[in-house]
CSV table of all heavy atoms in Angstrom, one decimal:
chain,number,residue,atom,x,y,z
A,165,LEU,N,3.7,-0.4,3.0
A,165,LEU,CA,2.5,0.3,2.5
A,165,LEU,C,2.8,1.5,1.7
A,165,LEU,O,3.7,2.3,2.1
A,165,LEU,CB,1.6,0.6,3.7
A,165,LEU,CG,1.2,-0.5,4.7
A,165,LEU,CD1,0.4,0.1,5.8
A,165,LEU,CD2,0.4,-1.6,4.0
A,166,ASP,N,2.1,1.7,0.7
A,166,ASP,CA,2.2,3.0,-0.1
A,166,ASP,C,1.2,4.0,0.4
A,166,ASP,O,0.2,3.6,1.1
A,166,ASP,CB,1.9,2.7,-1.6
A,166,ASP,CG,3.0,1.8,-2.2
A,166,ASP,OD1,4.2,2.0,-1.8
A,166,ASP,OD2,2.6,1.0,-3.1
A,167,VAL,N,1.4,5.2,0.1
A,167,VAL,CA,0.4,6.3,0.4
A,167,VAL,C,-0.9,6.0,-0.4
A,167,VAL,O,-0.8,5.8,-1.6
A,167,VAL,CB,1.0,7.7,0.1
A,167,VAL,CG1,-0.1,8.7,0.3
A,167,VAL,CG2,2.2,7.9,1.0
A,168,LYS,N,-2.0,6.0,0.3
A,168,LYS,CA,-3.3,5.8,-0.4
A,168,LYS,C,-3.9,7.1,-0.8
A,168,LYS,O,-4.6,7.2,-1.9
A,168,LYS,CB,-4.3,5.1,0.6
A,168,LYS,CG,-3.9,3.7,1.0
A,168,LYS,CD,-3.7,2.7,-0.2
A,168,LYS,CE,-3.4,1.3,0.2
A,168,LYS,NZ,-3.2,0.4,-0.9
A,169,GLU,N,-3.6,8.2,-0.1
A,169,GLU,CA,-4.2,9.4,-0.4
A,169,GLU,C,-3.4,10.6,0.2
A,169,GLU,O,-2.9,10.5,1.3
A,169,GLU,CB,-5.7,9.5,0.1
A,169,GLU,CG,-6.4,10.7,-0.3
A,169,GLU,CD,-7.9,10.7,0.3
A,169,GLU,OE1,-8.2,9.8,1.0
A,169,GLU,OE2,-8.6,11.7,0.0
A,170,VAL,N,-3.3,11.6,-0.5
A,170,VAL,CA,-2.7,12.9,0.0
A,170,VAL,C,-3.9,13.8,0.3
A,170,VAL,O,-4.8,14.0,-0.5
A,170,VAL,CB,-1.8,13.6,-1.0
A,170,VAL,CG1,-1.3,14.9,-0.5
A,170,VAL,CG2,-0.6,12.6,-1.4
A,171,ILE,N,-3.9,14.3,1.6
A,171,ILE,CA,-5.1,15.0,2.1
A,171,ILE,C,-4.7,16.4,2.5
A,171,ILE,O,-3.6,16.6,3.2
A,171,ILE,CB,-5.7,14.3,3.3
A,171,ILE,CG1,-6.1,12.8,2.9
A,171,ILE,CG2,-6.9,15.0,3.9
A,171,ILE,CD1,-6.5,12.0,4.1
A,172,GLN,N,-5.5,17.4,2.2
A,172,GLN,CA,-5.4,18.7,2.9
A,172,GLN,C,-6.6,18.8,3.7
A,172,GLN,O,-7.7,18.8,3.3
A,172,GLN,CB,-5.3,19.8,1.9
A,172,GLN,CG,-5.0,21.2,2.6
A,172,GLN,CD,-4.6,22.3,1.7
A,172,GLN,OE1,-5.2,22.5,0.6
A,172,GLN,NE2,-3.5,23.0,2.0
A,173,THR,N,-6.4,18.9,5.0
A,173,THR,CA,-7.5,18.9,6.0
A,173,THR,C,-8.2,20.2,6.0
A,173,THR,O,-7.7,21.2,5.6
A,173,THR,CB,-6.9,18.5,7.4
A,173,THR,OG1,-6.2,19.6,7.9
A,173,THR,CG2,-6.1,17.3,7.4
A,174,PRO,N,-9.4,20.2,6.6
A,174,PRO,CA,-10.1,21.5,6.8
A,174,PRO,C,-9.3,22.5,7.6
A,174,PRO,O,-9.5,23.8,7.4
A,174,PRO,CB,-11.4,21.1,7.6
A,174,PRO,CG,-11.6,19.7,7.2
A,174,PRO,CD,-10.2,19.1,7.0
A,175,ALA,N,-8.4,22.1,8.4
A,175,ALA,CA,-7.5,23.0,9.2
A,175,ALA,C,-6.3,23.4,8.4
A,175,ALA,O,-5.4,24.2,8.9
A,175,ALA,CB,-7.0,22.3,10.5
A,176,GLY,N,-6.2,23.0,7.1
A,176,GLY,CA,-5.1,23.4,6.3
A,176,GLY,C,-3.8,22.6,6.4
A,176,GLY,O,-2.7,23.0,6.0
A,177,GLU,N,-3.9,21.4,7.0
A,177,GLU,CA,-2.7,20.5,7.3
A,177,GLU,C,-2.5,19.7,6.0
A,177,GLU,O,-3.4,19.2,5.4
A,177,GLU,CB,-3.0,19.6,8.5
A,177,GLU,CG,-3.3,20.4,9.8
A,177,GLU,CD,-4.1,19.6,10.7
A,177,GLU,OE1,-5.1,18.9,10.3
A,177,GLU,OE2,-3.8,19.6,11.9
A,178,ASN,N,-1.2,19.4,5.7
A,178,ASN,CA,-0.8,18.5,4.6
A,178,ASN,C,-0.6,17.1,5.3
A,178,ASN,O,0.2,17.0,6.2
A,178,ASN,CB,0.5,19.0,4.0
A,178,ASN,CG,0.2,20.2,3.1
A,178,ASN,OD1,-0.8,20.4,2.5
A,178,ASN,ND2,1.2,21.1,3.2
A,179,MET,N,-1.4,16.2,4.8
A,179,MET,CA,-1.4,14.9,5.5
A,179,MET,C,-1.4,13.7,4.5
A,179,MET,O,-1.9,13.8,3.4
A,179,MET,CB,-2.7,14.8,6.4
A,179,MET,CG,-2.6,13.7,7.4
A,179,MET,SD,-3.9,14.0,8.6
A,179,MET,CE,-5.4,13.9,7.6
A,180,LEU,N,-0.8,12.6,4.9
A,180,LEU,CA,-0.8,11.4,4.1
A,180,LEU,C,-1.6,10.3,4.8
A,180,LEU,O,-1.5,10.2,6.0
A,180,LEU,CB,0.7,10.9,3.9
A,180,LEU,CG,1.6,11.9,3.3
A,180,LEU,CD1,3.0,11.3,3.3
A,180,LEU,CD2,1.2,12.3,1.9
A,181,ASP,N,-2.3,9.5,4.0
A,181,ASP,CA,-3.1,8.4,4.5
A,181,ASP,C,-2.5,7.1,4.0
A,181,ASP,O,-2.5,6.9,2.7
A,181,ASP,CB,-4.6,8.5,4.1
A,181,ASP,CG,-5.4,7.4,4.6
A,181,ASP,OD1,-4.9,6.5,5.4
A,181,ASP,OD2,-6.6,7.4,4.2
A,182,PHE,N,-2.0,6.2,4.8
A,182,PHE,CA,-1.5,5.0,4.4
A,182,PHE,C,-2.5,3.8,4.4
A,182,PHE,O,-2.2,2.7,4.1
A,182,PHE,CB,-0.3,4.5,5.3
A,182,PHE,CG,1.0,5.4,5.1
A,182,PHE,CD1,1.2,6.5,5.9
A,182,PHE,CD2,1.8,5.1,4.0
A,182,PHE,CE1,2.4,7.3,5.7
A,182,PHE,CE2,2.9,5.9,3.8
A,182,PHE,CZ,3.2,7.0,4.6
A,183,GLY,N,-3.7,4.2,4.7
A,183,GLY,CA,-4.9,3.2,4.5
A,183,GLY,C,-5.0,2.2,5.6
A,183,GLY,O,-6.0,1.5,5.5
A,184,GLN,N,-4.2,2.1,6.6
A,184,GLN,CA,-4.2,1.0,7.5
A,184,GLN,C,-3.4,1.4,8.8
A,184,GLN,O,-2.3,1.8,8.7
A,184,GLN,CB,-3.6,-0.3,6.9
A,184,GLN,CG,-3.4,-1.4,7.9
A,184,GLN,CD,-4.7,-2.0,8.4
A,184,GLN,OE1,-5.5,-2.4,7.6
A,184,GLN,NE2,-4.8,-2.1,9.7
A,185,ASN,N,-4.0,1.2,9.9
A,185,ASN,CA,-3.3,1.4,11.2
A,185,ASN,C,-2.3,0.2,11.3
A,185,ASN,O,-2.6,-0.9,11.0
A,185,ASN,CB,-4.2,1.4,12.4
A,185,ASN,CG,-4.6,2.8,12.8
A,185,ASN,OD1,-3.7,3.6,13.0
A,185,ASN,ND2,-5.8,3.0,13.0
A,186,HIS,N,-1.1,0.5,11.7
A,186,HIS,CA,-0.1,-0.5,11.8
A,186,HIS,C,1.1,0.0,12.7
A,186,HIS,O,1.1,1.1,13.1
A,186,HIS,CB,0.5,-0.8,10.4
A,186,HIS,CG,1.2,0.4,9.8
A,186,HIS,ND1,0.5,1.4,9.2
A,186,HIS,CD2,2.5,0.7,9.7
A,186,HIS,CE1,1.4,2.3,8.7
A,186,HIS,NE2,2.6,2.0,9.0
A,187,ALA,N,1.9,-0.9,13.0
A,187,ALA,CA,3.1,-0.6,13.8
A,187,ALA,C,4.3,-0.7,13.0
A,187,ALA,O,4.5,-1.7,12.2
A,187,ALA,CB,3.2,-1.5,15.0
A,188,GLY,N,5.2,0.2,13.1
A,188,GLY,CA,6.4,0.2,12.2
A,188,GLY,C,7.1,1.5,12.1
A,188,GLY,O,7.0,2.4,13.0
A,189,LEU,N,7.9,1.7,11.0
A,189,LEU,CA,8.6,2.9,10.8
A,189,LEU,C,8.3,3.4,9.4
A,189,LEU,O,8.0,2.6,8.5
A,189,LEU,CB,10.1,2.6,10.8
A,189,LEU,CG,10.7,2.4,12.2
A,189,LEU,CD1,12.2,1.9,12.1
A,189,LEU,CD2,10.6,3.7,13.0
A,190,PHE,N,8.3,4.7,9.2
A,190,PHE,CA,8.1,5.3,7.9
A,190,PHE,C,9.5,5.7,7.3
A,190,PHE,O,10.5,5.7,8.1
A,190,PHE,CB,7.2,6.5,7.9
A,190,PHE,CG,7.6,7.5,9.0
A,190,PHE,CD1,8.6,8.3,8.8
A,190,PHE,CD2,6.8,7.5,10.1
A,190,PHE,CE1,9.0,9.2,9.8
A,190,PHE,CE2,7.1,8.4,11.1
A,190,PHE,CZ,8.2,9.3,11.0
A,191,ARG,N,9.6,5.9,6.0
A,191,ARG,CA,10.8,6.5,5.4
A,191,ARG,C,10.3,7.4,4.3
A,191,ARG,O,9.2,7.3,3.8
A,191,ARG,CB,11.7,5.4,4.9
A,191,ARG,CG,11.1,4.4,4.0
A,191,ARG,CD,12.0,3.2,3.8
A,191,ARG,NE,11.3,2.0,3.3
A,191,ARG,CZ,11.1,1.7,2.0
A,191,ARG,NH1,11.7,2.5,1.1
A,191,ARG,NH2,10.5,0.6,1.6
């Protein structure tokens, strides 16, 4: 899966959304 969206949350966190809950590993 590719990153669907780069998000900065209301709390100021840098976050990535891969668009789908899944089991596995990131790199």
Side-chain angles (χ1 to χ4, degrees):
L165 303 178
D166 294 323
V167 174
K168 298 298 183 184
E169 185 180 3
V170 178
I171 302 170
Q172 186 166 47
T173 70
E177 303 154 318
N178 291 322
M179 198 166 60
L180 304 175
D181 178 6
F182 289 97
Q184 167 70 53
N185 265 311
H186 63 281
L189 287 171
F190 49 77
R191 51 192 163 96

